[in-house]
Amino acid sequence: MSTATDLADRIRYVLVRTSHPGNIGSSARAMRTMGFGRMALVSPQRFPDREASALAAGADDVLEAAVISEGLVDALAGTSLALGLSARRRGVDLEEITPREAASRALAAAARGEQVALVFGNERTGLENEELARCHAMVRIPSVDDFSSLNLSQAVQVMAYELRVAALGEVAAPVRADAELPADAAQMERFYEHLGQMLDDIDFHKGRAPTTIMLRLRKLFQRAQMDERELRVMHGIFADAQRMAQIANDKLKGGRGG
């Protein structure tokens, strides 16, 4: 199974024609806080630049590893899924999806071993129609209609956050070598049979039908998802309860006989 790091390594953030080097640095910081490190720059106006380094706030590894290309085609080399961020609806026949949908789609592709690109346009003009046409879908952050322009690094942060949250949900926690699997259906049926016998032996039902309580107890123990070790403990408790009930019954009978 892919780890969160594996998935992050297959996702690149492509910044197209960035005007201000500070936005490159801020975007690197946004990426790094969410575990991403692959940045591609298409014809940046100024880079490398001290302002970019200053606003990266320590995410220097992202800036140092950034790949610079003259055109978007080169920046997308090797990717099989490109998602373009745009604040405005444009005259391009392209599917429009939310950041959350984009994150889900990007992670699914990365989990299959594919390379994915998130494409962000120039701060003032955004992505041109020709650039959006090279993307498989357009991602719109659902901001208010009368003030929809996010700063470039803010848009990067939104996507990085959505991807991080989605990745944490998709990647299973590692299983300890000594961890036991939940008991299987056959083991649980034997457990319920023993539970029913024990409740009868201690006269728990007191003449009432056992159906309702047994259904409730089944739901309770199904939620618990006990493993084999825990089942053995419960069987031991039931056996002791049955033994004590038998002793009490024997004493009662003995008392009557005397």
Side-chain angles (χ1 to χ4, degrees), residues 66-84:
V67 177
I68 303 175
S69 305
E70 290 299 318
L72 181 56
V73 173
D74 291 335
L76 296 179
T79 64
S80 57
L81 176 65
L83 303 174

Side-chain angles (χ1 to χ4, degrees), residues 230-249:
E230 291 163 336
L231 277 188
R232 288 195 294 271
V233 172
M234 295 302 297
H235 280 299
I237 293 172
F238 296 166
D240 274 352
Q242 289 172 301
R243 181 174 59 82
M244 295 302 293
Q246 185 62 49
I247 291 173
N249 286 334

Side-chain angles (χ1 to χ4, degrees), residues 28-193:
R29 179 180 184 179
M31 292 167 54
R32 188 68 179 82
T33 59
M34 296 294 120
F36 298 93
R38 295 191 64 188
M39 173 181 280
L41 303 174
V42 178
S43 299
Q45 288 191 13
R46 288 163 47 200
F47 187 81
D49 190 273
R50 284 185 295 181
E51 188 177 357
S53 298
L55 290 181
D60 300 312
D61 52 341
V62 178
L63 295 181
E64 291 168 4
V67 177
I68 303 175
S69 305
E70 290 299 318
L72 181 56
V73 173
D74 291 335
L76 296 179
T79 64
S80 57
L81 176 65
L83 303 174
L85 276 286
S86 180
R88 303 190 302 276
R89 292 182 174 87
R90 296 173 176 268
V92 178
D93 186 16
L94 200 62
E95 180 186 10
E96 186 177 306
I97 59 178
T98 66
R100 196 152 295 175
E101 291 170 321
S104 178
R105 193 171 301 187
L107 284 176
R112 294 191 296 266
E114 302 175 29
Q115 295 288 322
V116 179
L118 302 175
V119 187
F120 302 81
N122 172 268
E123 296 95 326
R124 186 175 63 84
T125 60
L127 290 171
E128 302 292 342
N129 284 356
E130 183 181 349
E131 293 162 343
L132 270 175
R134 299 191 182 281
C135 299
H136 296 86
M138 180 174 68
V139 184
R140 290 189 72 250
I141 296 172
S143 53
V144 295
D145 292 336
D146 62 344
F147 199 74
S148 61
S149 180
L150 274 73
N151 175 271
L152 171 59
S153 63
Q154 292 172 335
V156 170
Q157 185 74 80
V158 168
M159 282 307 309
Y161 168 79
E162 289 289 352
L163 282 160
R164 175 70 174 170
V165 171
L168 290 175
E170 289 291 335
V171 179
V175 178
R176 300 194 327 269
D178 62 341
E180 290 196 34
L181 295 175
D184 62 28
Q187 292 168 325
M188 289 305 297
E189 284 305 315
R190 288 194 291 273
F191 168 78
Y192 293 131
E193 182 180 352

Side-chain angles (χ1 to χ4, degrees), residues 211-237:
T211 305
T212 300
I213 188 63
M214 285 302 299
L215 286 174
R216 289 177 178 172
L217 289 173
R218 273 181 176 265
K219 290 175 66 176
L220 169 64
F221 287 112
Q222 290 289 72
R223 289 198 302 270
Q225 288 193 300
M226 295 182 291
D227 59 33
E228 291 184 27
R229 186 182 306 170
E230 291 163 336
L231 277 188
R232 288 195 294 271
V233 172
M234 295 302 297
H235 280 299
I237 293 172

